[in-house]
Amino acid sequence: MEKFKCTVCGYIYDPEEGDPSGGIAPGTSFNDLPADYICPICGAGKDEFIVYE
């Protein structure tokens, strides 16, 4: 699964880890995150993330 990077603060969303602080279970792909998902570090919206290579 692809990782995604917040363009505002650099946080990397890793689907294998999920986002426990945001209630996102490990194994949740970025595309399956809710539309109102926000970066746990800076609060940027899901639209501020790009594919991380």
Side-chain angles (χ1 to χ4, degrees):
M1 280 193 267
E2 291 180 313
K3 296 179 183 179
F4 283 77
K5 178 180 179 179
C6 176
T7 59
V8 176
C9 73
Y11 167 78
I12 305 297
Y13 175 77
D14 183 347
E16 291 184 11
E17 296 177 12
D19 177 11
S21 65
I24 306 297
T28 304
S29 75
F30 188 80
N31 292 332
D32 290 337
L33 293 174
D36 62 351
Y37 177 76
I38 59 168
C39 176
I41 305 299
C42 71
K46 190 175 174 183
D47 60 334
E48 295 291 336
F49 282 76
I50 58 170
V51 174
Y52 178 69
E53 310 262 342

